[in-house]
Amino acid sequence: MKAIKQIQKIKNKKITIKLPPDFNCEKAEIIILPYNTIEKYHFTDLAGRLEWKGNAIKEQRILRDEWE
């Protein structure tokens, strides 16, 4: 599946989407989100808040061994 992400200006309540030549399909699902309200969360306020009690290396090895 190939996804196309574009930011378009709305003119007269209409949006024009130009598809690349290799986008060959008969139907497409279109989801429209307001661009100005999409915010990325910054995790900087969580920095330094994790307290780990135990052996981190040992726990990592246990998790890795589960996949073998």
Side-chain angles (χ1 to χ4, degrees):
M1 174 174 54
K2 183 176 182 180
I4 298 172
K5 181 178 179 180
Q6 297 178 4
I7 298 172
Q8 298 285 337
K9 289 192 175 191
I10 300 172
K11 297 178 185 175
N12 298 323
K13 301 282 184 180
K14 295 180 183 178
I15 299 172
T16 303
I17 301 172
K18 294 182 181 179
L19 299 173
D22 63 336
F23 193 85
N24 298 320
C25 66
E26 292 183 17
K27 290 183 178 183
E29 180 177 0
I30 299 170
I31 300 171
I32 299 173
L33 301 171
Y35 180 69
N36 57 355
T37 60
I38 299 173
E39 296 180 17
K40 293 186 177 180
Y41 185 78
H42 297 282
F43 292 93
T44 53
D45 60 333
L46 300 176
R49 303 223 176 186
L50 178 64
E51 293 182 22
W52 183 265
K53 294 179 181 167
N55 187 333
I57 302 296
K58 181 180 176 183
E59 294 298 324
Q60 288 178 19
R61 288 187 178 136
I62 291 170
L63 290 171
R64 289 179 186 156
D65 290 344
E66 288 179 358
W67 292 95
E68 293 182 329

